[in-house]
Amino acid sequence: MIPIDPPGVAARAGRRRYADRRMDGVDRLRDPEIRRLQALLSTESTGQSGGGPGGDGAAADLVHGLTQQLAESASRGDLPVLQRFLGAVVENDSLAKALAEVEGATRFGSLIELARRRKGAKALHQAVNDGTRTADEMRAAIRAQPWVFGGRYMPPVDLQDIEILTTVDLALMRSDGAIHLVTIGPANVPDLIGRADDGLRVGPLVDSLVQKTMNYLHTVEAQEGLIREKLGVESKRALATVLIGHPAYATEKVKDGVRNTLRTFSSRLVGLEIMTYQELMASVDQTLDLYERGELDPLEG
């Protein structure tokens, strides 16, 4: 959670000291344009007057020039320059906000958002690879990065006063305007699948989460009129995903059957799919690659 600074002189001074501390690494770059941007954003973020963005166009020119420099650095493989500067901005929310308000900073905003998402993806990989993380901890990790369902989904819907949408782990809006519900389980589920007389079957936790999610879907569909009135989105065609488990944690003897078993089970469900954390993180990494190649803009999805 981003801390909220108290108002007043002390708060402005604190933000100034924080900005200076976070930008020390940038100063070492000895780039006059970066130092000028640092001064510009520090002034804007502390609410001081004079020389702020939107004045005589100098700010927009500065951002344009800096964006070009950073893009060229990235294309040359000089990633430390890009990473150090973006790291300083990403860590300081007030600087990032000030920069986003500068006219002509859209491209730079995309670079900042990409840096945020890289950081979020790294945190998710760490969470998935940590077998001690509980279901609650995994829910918190996913809720902090709802963009990981990008490409198929839009940002989270405004829940307002619709109780069912505050009950589910994550409620998203698809690009076609329909609601998509996500139920989040732990990554470490040894009995993700198990053996039965007729082959392999899903484990008890998978079955439990699927049943709970199906109940969510039925409730959402029953409240179709209320949801359309409050949110203006379609809930009659609501779909859902149960995110649970990773083959690496499954019982060794049946590990190779995880994917086919879950797919077979999902095929019998209406409007619901089961996704493992392995599949999710593969999708996340692919999305980041598309951002890197410029085929997707992180600000647009």
Side-chain angles (χ1 to χ4, degrees):
M1 179 179 294
I2 298 172
I4 300 176
D5 293 326
V9 175
R12 291 196 294 271
R15 284 195 295 267
R16 194 178 305 113
R17 287 194 300 272
Y18 180 76
D20 291 342
R21 186 169 63 254
R22 294 306 309 171
M23 300 299 284
D24 280 345
V26 176
D27 281 335
R28 288 196 295 271
L29 299 177
R30 297 181 180 178
D31 188 320
E33 286 219 15
I34 290 181
R35 288 198 296 274
R36 285 171 57 206
L37 184 62
Q38 175 190 350
L40 173 71
L41 295 181
S42 295
T43 298
E44 175 66 16
S45 66
T46 56
Q48 300 174 22
S49 60
D56 57 3
D61 292 340
L62 176 60
V63 170
H64 176 76
L66 179 58
T67 301
Q68 192 170 32
Q69 286 184 15
L70 293 176
E72 290 173 357
S73 295
S75 66
R76 293 194 306 268
D78 190 8
L79 296 181
V81 173
L82 181 63
Q83 290 170 347
R84 278 184 288 181
F85 184 81
L86 291 183
V89 177
V90 167
E91 292 294 335
N92 189 324
D93 187 66
S94 60
L95 294 186
K97 180 180 179 181
L99 180 59
E101 292 173 352
V102 176
E103 184 179 355
T106 302
R107 188 180 175 201
F108 194 86
S110 295
L111 291 174
I112 293 175
E113 183 59 27
L114 176 54
R116 288 183 186 276
R117 295 191 178 188
R118 281 201 202 101
K119 183 179 178 181
K122 181 179 179 180
L124 281 180
H125 273 293
Q126 291 173 339
V128 172
N129 293 333
D130 182 355
T132 67
R133 298 290 181 96
T134 65
D136 286 342
E137 290 173 324
M138 295 308 300
R139 289 187 194 103
I142 294 292
R143 285 170 175 169
Q145 310 295 334
W147 65 268
V148 299
F149 290 95
R152 290 188 297 170
Y153 313 107
M154 301 296 284
V157 298
D158 183 359
L159 303 181
Q160 295 187 15
D161 298 322
I162 303 175
E163 184 176 356
I164 182 59
L165 296 184
T166 64
T167 302
V168 299
D169 293 333
L170 192 62
L172 304 165
M173 187 191 303
R174 296 204 315 272
S175 56
D176 62 358
I179 286 179
H180 195 108
L181 309 178
V182 182
T183 298
I184 302 169
N188 187 352
V189 183
D191 58 349
L192 186 63
I193 62 173
R195 294 195 178 277
D197 293 339
D198 56 350
L200 298 176
R201 57 171 176 75
V202 299
L205 183 56
V206 175
D207 192 53
S208 174
L209 292 183
V210 165
Q211 292 302 319
K212 181 170 72 172
T213 307
M214 291 299 296
N215 290 336
Y216 287 156
L217 279 174
H218 293 322
T219 303
V220 166
E221 290 175 0
Q223 296 184 358
E224 174 194 359
L226 175 64
I227 291 175
R228 184 186 296 112
E229 176 186 353
K230 291 283 188 178
L231 303 180
V233 298
E234 177 62 60
S235 62
K236 194 172 184 178
R237 296 178 292 108
L239 298 176
T241 294
V242 172
L243 176 63
I244 184 172
H246 192 294
Y249 296 116
T251 304
E252 188 67 32
K253 293 180 180 179
V254 298
K255 188 179 298 183
D256 292 339
V258 167
R259 188 176 185 182
N260 287 336
T261 302
L262 293 179
R263 283 187 173 180
T264 300
F265 184 76
S266 295
S267 67
R268 299 196 294 267
L269 305 173
V270 178
L272 188 150
E273 68 169 341
I274 302 172
M275 175 185 288
T276 67
Y277 281 91
Q278 181 185 54
E279 293 171 312
L280 176 67
M281 297 315 298
S283 174
V284 167
D285 292 339
Q286 183 180 35
T287 300
L288 288 176
D289 287 342
L290 293 175
Y291 292 151
E292 296 280 4
R293 297 199 299 267
E295 297 180 28
L296 285 179
D297 186 341
L299 293 178
E300 296 180 356

